[in-house]
């Protein structure tokens, strides 16, 4: 999981889009390379064209959240109240879920909020990679105009 997160952070979102196209559309021939089909015309075709862009976006954003959650949990698990809970004989599951996760999730929620701006910047380029009309294309058209 740490290697997954490290690789996910290392590459920008649009590069994940190109990797998804190469692996899942060209090599494995599972999904189309891009384009847009209206859900009212072809629901299945619309959903198959949505899988790769959503997967690339989700992979890149999830990797950073995973790293932040891990580091935050490591910091919380060395605190004194966690040692007290262990001394009382609580199970590790109860300690992690009931005590540590409550305090570790606070910085993770902050990171998730900051990810929205990162996602907006990434979606501008990702929509161009997959030839998908959306807010990214409108932003680029507005900048060019």
């Amino acid at each position: 999981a740490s290697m997954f997160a490290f690789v996910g952070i290392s590459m920008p979102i649009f590069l994940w889009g190109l990797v998804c196209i190469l692996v899942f559309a060209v090599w494995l021939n599972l999904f189309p390379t891009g384009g847009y089909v209206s859900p009212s015309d072809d629901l299945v075709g619309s959903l198959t064209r949505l899988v790769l862009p959503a997967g690339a976006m989700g992979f890149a954003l999830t990797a950073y959240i995973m790293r932040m959650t891990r580091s935050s949990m490591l910091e919380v698990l060395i605190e004194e109240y966690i040692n007290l809970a262990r001394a009382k004989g609580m199970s590790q599951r109860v300690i992690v879920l009931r005590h540590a996760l409550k305090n570790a999730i606070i910085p993770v929620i902050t990171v998730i909020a900051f990810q929205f701006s990162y996602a907006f910047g990434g979606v501008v380029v990702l929509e161009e990679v997959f030839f998908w009309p959306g807010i990214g294309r409108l932003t680029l058209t507005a900048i060019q105009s």
Side-chain angles (χ1 to χ4, degrees):
S2 292
M3 187 61 143
F4 165 80
F6 180 72
V7 170
I9 290 173
S10 300
M11 292 171 52
I13 292 176
F14 72 90
L15 197 54
W16 280 117
L18 293 174
V19 168
C20 285
I21 289 173
L22 182 67
V23 173
F24 296 109
V26 176
W27 290 347
L28 299 176
N29 200 20
L30 294 174
F31 299 104
T33 57
Y36 176 76
V37 174
S38 174
S40 62
D41 294 338
D42 181 18
L43 182 62
V44 175
S46 175
L47 292 176
T48 58
R49 285 173 170 75
L50 184 63
V51 169
L52 290 181
M57 177 71 79
F59 186 76
L61 297 178
T62 303
Y64 191 70
I65 294 169
M66 282 177 58
R67 295 279 295 190
M68 187 63 194
T69 305
R70 181 183 181 275
S71 66
S72 183
M73 280 296 288
L74 289 176
E75 288 178 12
V76 169
L77 286 174
I78 61 172
E79 294 291 328
E80 283 297 317
Y81 68 93
I82 299 296
N83 290 335
L84 178 65
R86 285 189 186 120
K88 286 182 172 182
M90 289 185 182
S91 69
Q92 185 68 20
R93 180 183 174 142
V94 170
I95 292 171
V96 168
L97 293 178
R98 203 175 283 169
H99 298 290
L101 192 59
K102 284 182 184 178
N103 293 318
I105 203 74
I106 295 168
V108 175
I109 291 172
T110 305
V111 166
I112 290 171
F114 284 123
Q115 287 285 42
F116 282 115
S117 63
Y118 178 71
F120 183 74
V123 79
V124 170
V125 180
L126 194 63
E127 285 177 356
E128 288 300 313
V129 168
F130 286 101
F131 196 66
W132 189 270
I135 197 163
R137 180 152 307 169
L138 290 174
T139 304
L140 286 177
T141 303
I143 291 171
Q144 290 172 351
S145 295

